[in-house]
Amino acid sequence: MNAFEALGLNEQLVRSVTELGFETPTSIQEKAIPVLLSGTTDFMGLAQTGTGKTAAFGLPLLQLIEPGQRHPQALIVSPTRELCLQITNDIESFKKHSRNIFTEAVYGGASIMMQIRNLKKGVHIVVATPGRLIDLIERKAIDLQKVKYVVLDEADEMLNMGFRDDIDFVLKNTVNRESTWLFSATMPPEVRAISKNYMENPKEVTVGKKNSGNVNIDHQYFVVGAQYRYEALKRLIDFNPGMYGIIFTRTKADAQDISERLAKSGYEIEALHGDLSQQQRDKVMGRFRTKNLQLLIATDVAARGIDVDGITHVINYELPDDMEVYTHRSGRTGRAGKTGVCLSICHSREVYKIKSLEKLINSKFHKVDVPSGKEVCRKQFFHFMDKLMQADVSHGDYETFLPDLMTKFAEVSKEEVLQRVAALEFSHFLKYYENAEDLNRIESRGDRRPVNQDMQGGRRDRGNFSRRDSGYTRLFVNLGTKDGFYKASFLQFILDESNLKKEVLGKIDLRDMNSWVEIDKDAAGRMIKAIDGKRYNNRTIRMNEADGGFKRPSDEGRSRQYAGKEKRSFR
Ligand code: AMP
């Protein structure tokens, strides 16, 4: 017997999933389908995207629908338009052999009149985003009276996005529902509250351990000074020539800035951010999905609902503040049985977070050095040579050129040809990395302990993690509130003067007459140089290291930037 049939699915559905290439049910499907087919049991599934959860609820729903009754019987609520469309597409393919079941996706950013017209024709399953659904309910364009099944997909994301009231509203207005099925990647108290308020003895199923990460993902982290993040990111991309990845940043400005810089250097990258129109967003996503775009860079908000198969790498330009966000980010790779890598660029003051993350996802993180310029070049070179050897020469008339080529190259050795090909392909690239510096944090005595101890399960945690050990130094400056500063203006002043980024700063202690500034050790010299001795309101500013023993770092200069486009290849 087919394994899907054994779960109780009818012949038409089994035929569809077989045609889709599903051979064995995934863990969540195995656990959920038999329960959900009863139609009357409330259900909570702790499962991330990539686990096959759409089929886990989609297949039983299709079997429970009564095609003869043309009104909404099932309502699936999902956080974003992308996810909404993805679910609808999946359901369309699952119901290929099930006749006369109609589905409608309703979401914002598309014509509501068209959606109302389609709903009027009589549909069985409505897949909706919360905002548009409420709109339709208020316009009385959708009748929820006969909805028997409500599915909340990615419930944690919906709550993160502020849809709590909308979910309450929907659950209160589906008075005749026979069961509620909730899926969520994490189970914060707010999600538990939904189950408490609206569900009865839900059957709870967890795929893998609670909050556990996907075993197919290799979690790696790199410790670099804050001002080297961009350079480190570039190295990581260059070191992985076949990368098909998503880079996450905390801010929209970073996403935009990095994408512009990388695009200028010839990388296939686009940023996803809230300022894009739906049409522009679809265009970017289309290019990414079809692999015409190698890299996507996005903030967590902009990346919500992105569901793309085959992502090889997720890169955290910075670790997220909210640890659970890490699970969402890394879950974009290592899907459907494939392996993936999640790379995190950390500042030494973020390293303490790694230990919490290891606990959260129940997986070990590997500390890896940022590759040297030489290593990057070597990797690129062999990648190119592999491609050269794999080039398809079976078509085309290459053979007809051979006699002439043989004559031309009669005096040239194989080694020389290889060298020349390499020079042609890599001269720009080699030049860029010629004097590339070591980006790995040179661990001072202060830095070393947290890094290593954390990896070995040492006892340091956020509570006793001293900032002085974390790669910061403290600067004294004879400016204060008496000079008319308040915190924001003071911050602005020292950043403008030194041309440094906010990320290099730690705590600022602004007093009446003077202040203390915590700053990344590697950036301290530059700040002192820029500010010490300058005049402000007819006074000479004095800035120096507060605790003594500070040596001006010799390696402040950035690696030499190559102004042209580096030749790169993806695929
Ligand atoms: P989901 O978690 O629903 O986003 O599914 C992730 C991916 O796994 C989708 O591309 C599905 O088509 C695929 N998938 C779902 N169930 C199976 C299965 N039993 N066997 C193979 N692939 C599956």
Side-chain angles (χ1 to χ4, degrees), residues 426-456:
F426 289 105
S427 65
H428 290 329
F429 205 76
L430 291 171
K431 216 174 196 168
Y432 180 81
Y433 279 114
E434 198 175 14
N435 293 316
E437 56 195 303
D438 181 359
L439 300 186
N440 295 291
R441 180 94 203 179
I442 301 142
E443 292 173 14
S444 67
R445 243 181 294 150
D447 288 341
R448 190 168 291 128
R449 270 169 48 115
V451 173
N452 294 339
Q453 279 205 355
D454 277 358
M455 286 309 293
Q456 288 154 14

Side-chain angles (χ1 to χ4, degrees), residues 44 152 155-156 158-159 163-164 167-168 171 177 180 182 188-200:
M44 297 236 290
L152 302 175
D156 52 351
M158 289 201 275
L159 294 173
F163 288 135
R164 198 202 161 111
I167 292 173
D168 279 337
L171 290 172
R177 68 177 188 280
T180 310
L182 180 152
E190 298 80 11
V191 175
R192 286 242 163 255
I194 295 182
S195 86
K196 227 173 107 194
N197 295 340
Y198 299 103
M199 293 160 85
E200 230 172 88

Side-chain angles (χ1 to χ4, degrees), residues 72 74-89 103-120 123 125-137 141-144 158 163 170:
L75 178 63
I76 303 169
V77 192
S78 81
T80 62
R81 169 194 145 110
E82 274 81 11
L83 190 59
C84 187
L85 286 168
Q86 182 78 33
I87 295 169
T88 313
N89 283 341
T103 316
E104 179 67 16
V106 295
Y107 47 83
S111 155
I112 195 164
M113 294 322 290
M114 177 82 92
Q115 291 171 356
I116 291 174
R117 260 202 304 278
N118 289 343
L119 288 172
K120 275 205 177 119
V123 299
I125 303 176
V126 176
V127 189
T129 52
R132 180 53 58 99
L133 179 61
I134 301 293
D135 204 348
L136 290 165
I137 296 171
I142 184 166
D143 176 16
L144 299 185
M158 289 201 275
F163 288 135
V170 169

Side-chain angles (χ1 to χ4, degrees), residues 194 232 336 352 475 509 514:
I194 295 182
Y352 71 88
L475 304 181
D509 189 2
N514 48 45

